[in-house]
Amino acid sequence: MKAASDKAHGAVRPLRRSVAGFEITLLPAAGYDVGFLAQKDSLGFAFDAQAGFHAIGSDRSEPFSRLPNTLALTPRGCDVRSSSAMGGEYLLITGKGVRALPGSYCTNVQHPGAFPMAAAIRKWLLGGILPDVLEAEARIGRLCAAAPGTSRLDKAARWMTPQRFRRIADLIEDRLDAPITVALLAGEIRVSPSFLSRAFSAFCGQSPYDYVLSRRLQRARRLISATTRPLPEIAIECGFSSQSHLSAAMKARLGLSPSGIVRP
């Protein structure tokens, strides 16, 4: 894989790379309105929840809601029109290992092992990392293999409906600059912290801690790329104790540092 030559590491525009016979693109967490005829079978992974309107294989537009940490499979020849005011960070993969049956568009496919593989690929893109070709082929291949079937959800995941998850996700967004505990989140929907942890993890593929950290890093990247505010101030607003805390988390999770994000 080629190292990223630009400094658009805040993901304010798409990052595209080729590796091991695959084309991978990281789309930014931004609003969009697109229409296209899919030229190849493609696999998508939504890091963030998304909502908007789409028309798949028809002229009829209808609301859609995409859960975080889920897969989508789009077959070649599928006519797609999609728009979202907020969008969400999205990984798109095409290549030799991506296969879809004709007319088999599917989305919100949950797989317990998908997030770690998608996160590793995102880290390569954001950090300009040069992975071993065999490692890249293996990780991307495993992510592709996860797409065709939907894992059976356990009892806790079935209990965590999209509506309940949305309540928790909205609360997290409102409190990203403040302390967040599992007990606080559990109190909002009147369950025990241990049950919420199991339900949350089974439903979206991340523990509450990992999800909160992901959202804090996403907000920090957006603020760094869109404003000239001091980094220590941004770190505090996003729930980190200091600039060094933000830098360490960003480097560990995303493979980049705040200084590597282009600012206005």
Side-chain angles (χ1 to χ4, degrees):
M1 180 187 292
K2 296 180 181 179
S5 58
D6 57 53
K7 291 186 68 177
H9 295 328
V12 294
R13 61 177 181 267
L15 293 176
R16 295 184 174 91
R17 300 290 180 265
S18 300
V19 60
F22 294 94
E23 297 293 326
I24 53 179
T25 303
L26 183 65
L27 300 172
Y32 64 86
D33 187 351
V34 299
F36 60 91
L37 183 68
Q39 300 300 308
K40 300 178 180 179
D41 294 340
S42 65
L43 174 67
F45 183 87
F47 288 99
D48 306 319
Q50 298 185 34
F53 292 87
H54 68 189
I56 308 297
S58 75
D59 294 328
R60 182 180 178 181
S61 181
E62 57 186 7
F64 78 85
S65 179
R66 183 156 294 149
L67 300 173
N69 304 325
T70 56
L71 295 156
L73 198 61
T74 303
R76 180 172 62 89
C78 186
D79 189 8
V80 177
R81 178 79 187 186
S82 183
S83 63
S84 174
M86 296 296 292
E89 195 164 40
Y90 195 78
L91 185 68
L92 185 65
I93 300 174
T94 61
K96 60 183 182 181
V98 181
R99 296 287 183 270
L101 296 175
S104 63
Y105 175 84
C106 59
T107 188
N108 283 335
V109 177
Q110 295 174 299
H111 189 284
F115 176 77
M117 291 180 282
I121 297 168
R122 177 177 63 176
K123 188 174 180 179
W124 297 340
L125 288 168
L126 290 173
I129 298 170
L130 299 171
D132 178 83
V133 173
L134 291 178
E135 178 190 359
E137 186 176 50
R139 284 188 180 272
I140 298 172
R142 286 198 297 270
L143 185 61
C144 293
T150 302
S151 299
R152 185 177 184 275
L153 300 179
D154 64 18
K155 180 179 179 181
R158 293 196 301 272
W159 178 89
M160 179 67 86
T161 63
Q163 292 78 16
R164 286 170 174 152
F165 181 84
R166 185 74 264 160
R167 285 176 59 194
I168 296 301
D170 287 345
L171 178 64
I172 288 171
E173 293 296 322
D174 290 342
R175 293 183 58 90
L176 282 180
D177 62 342
I180 298 176
T181 65
V182 175
L184 171 70
L185 301 177
E188 286 294 308
I189 50 176
R190 299 180 181 179
V191 297
S192 70
S194 61
F195 182 83
L196 176 62
S197 290
R198 296 197 309 274
F200 194 102
S201 299
F203 184 82
C204 82
Q206 280 181 293
S207 68
Y209 167 77
D210 285 328
Y211 181 85
V212 169
L213 182 56
S214 294
R215 298 311 305 152
R216 284 175 166 158
L217 288 172
Q218 185 67 270
R219 176 178 289 185
R221 289 164 62 194
R222 184 173 65 250
L223 290 175
I224 293 169
S225 65
T227 74
T228 57
R229 294 168 57 184
L231 290 178
E233 181 181 307
I234 289 176
I236 296 300
E237 181 170 331
C238 296
F240 296 96
S241 60
S242 64
Q243 180 181 338
S244 61
H245 183 198
L246 167 61
S247 297
M250 189 173 287
K251 189 68 175 178
R253 292 295 177 118
L254 302 175
L256 70 153
S257 64
S259 61
I261 298 176
V262 173
R263 309 206 68 179

